[in-house]
Amino acid sequence: MHAIVAGGTGLVGSALLQLLSTDARYRRVSALVRREVTLPPGVTAQPVDFDHLDYLTLTDVDVAFCCLGTTRKDAGSAAAFRRVDLDYVSAFARLARRAGAKRFLMVSSIGASTRSPFLYPRTKGESEAAVAALGFTSVVILRPSFLVGVRARGRSGETAALHISEWIRPVLIGPLAKYAPIEAVVVARALANAALDAREGVTIMESDRIPAAAR
C-alpha cells in the first residue's frame, strides 16, 4: 500500500513513521513536510505549503494518517490554532480523498465535541465531523488523553496536567480510565494496526478502548 502522513514530525507522527517505514505491507510511505527534516529510512518527504494543500496533486494513495495538531499557546491565537487543527486537517483529508485514499485515520483528543463550549475540544470535534463527511470508506478517530513522550519542544501546560494525571492514575479506572496518560508510541501503534483492519464507517477509540495488541 501507499500511505501518506501529515504531522509526521510530532510526538505521535514521528513514532508512526518509524512503524510504517519497517512495515513490508507498505510499498511507499510519504510524509508531508513544511521544511527539511530527517525522516526514517524509506520514508519519502513531500514538501508542501499547508495553506495551499488544495492545489497539490497526489495520486495512488491507499491510506492517510493525520497527526496534525497544536495548541492555542503555540499557535499564538485562537484563529491560528483553528487554522492548524481544523483547516489544515480538513484540507489534508480532501487531498487524501482526491488521491484515492479509502481509509483515513486521525489523532483527535479526549472530549472532542462540536457542542463543547471550549475552543480546543470544539475545534477537534469540528475537525472530526469535517473528515467524516468526505466519504471515506473507513474513518478511524483516536481520542487520546495526555500523551507521554519526549517532544522537541515541551508544552508547560501539558506537562503540568500530565504530572497531575500521573499522580491520580491509580483512581482512573472504569469510566475514568480514558483520562489516564497514554504513551505516544501506543497511539501510533494503534493507528498502524487500525489501518489494516478498519471497519467501514466511522470508528472512534478513546484511550481506554485502544486494543491490547497496540500496548
Side-chain angles (χ1 to χ4, degrees):
M1 296 184 291
H2 177 196
I4 186 168
V5 179
T9 59
L11 198 56
V12 174
S14 58
L16 177 64
L17 286 180
Q18 289 287 349
L19 292 171
L20 298 181
S21 68
T22 59
D23 192 328
R25 289 166 291 196
Y26 290 94
R27 57 182 169 78
R28 183 181 176 192
V29 178
S30 303
L32 303 190
V33 297
R34 289 178 289 187
R35 62 187 184 282
E36 186 174 338
V37 294
T38 300
L39 298 173
V43 176
T44 302
Q46 173 67 59
V48 298
D49 178 350
F50 279 95
D51 286 308
H52 299 93
L53 280 186
D54 284 330
Y55 298 99
L56 182 66
T57 299
L58 289 177
T59 58
D60 198 25
V61 173
D62 297 292
V63 56
F65 297 91
C66 184
C67 304
L68 291 168
T70 185
T71 63
R72 188 189 186 288
K73 180 179 179 181
D74 287 348
S77 68
F81 163 70
R82 285 177 62 81
R83 183 164 66 250
V84 175
D85 280 57
L86 177 57
D87 297 344
Y88 287 1
V89 172
S90 300
F92 173 58
R94 291 193 297 270
L95 171 67
R97 190 73 182 88
R98 292 196 307 271
K102 302 297 184 184
R103 284 162 285 177
F104 191 92
L105 300 95
M106 65 185 290
V107 180
S108 183
S109 173
I110 189 170
S113 172
T114 57
R115 298 186 297 275
S116 175
F118 303 107
L119 174 68
Y120 189 84
R122 183 176 68 252
T123 301
K124 291 294 190 180
E126 291 171 351
S127 178
E128 292 179 2
V131 169
L134 290 176
F136 290 99
T137 301
S138 298
V139 173
V140 178
I141 300 169
L142 268 67
R143 292 178 176 170
S145 182
F146 302 113
L147 294 169
V148 178
V150 179
R151 294 185 187 274
R153 286 179 51 207
R155 294 175 178 173
S156 58
E158 186 177 81
T159 300
L162 177 59
H163 285 320
I164 294 172
S165 61
E166 285 283 10
W167 182 67
I168 64 173
R169 182 193 285 269
V171 301
L172 297 177
I173 58 177
L176 299 178
K178 64 183 180 181
Y179 296 102
I182 184 168
E183 299 224 5
V185 67
V186 171
V187 177
R189 197 176 295 124
L191 286 170
N193 291 345
L196 301 175
D197 58 10
R199 297 173 298 177
E200 290 190 9
V202 178
T203 300
I204 296 176
M205 284 192 286
E206 308 281 0
S207 292
D208 60 324
R209 297 299 182 184
I210 290 178
R215 297 182 181 274

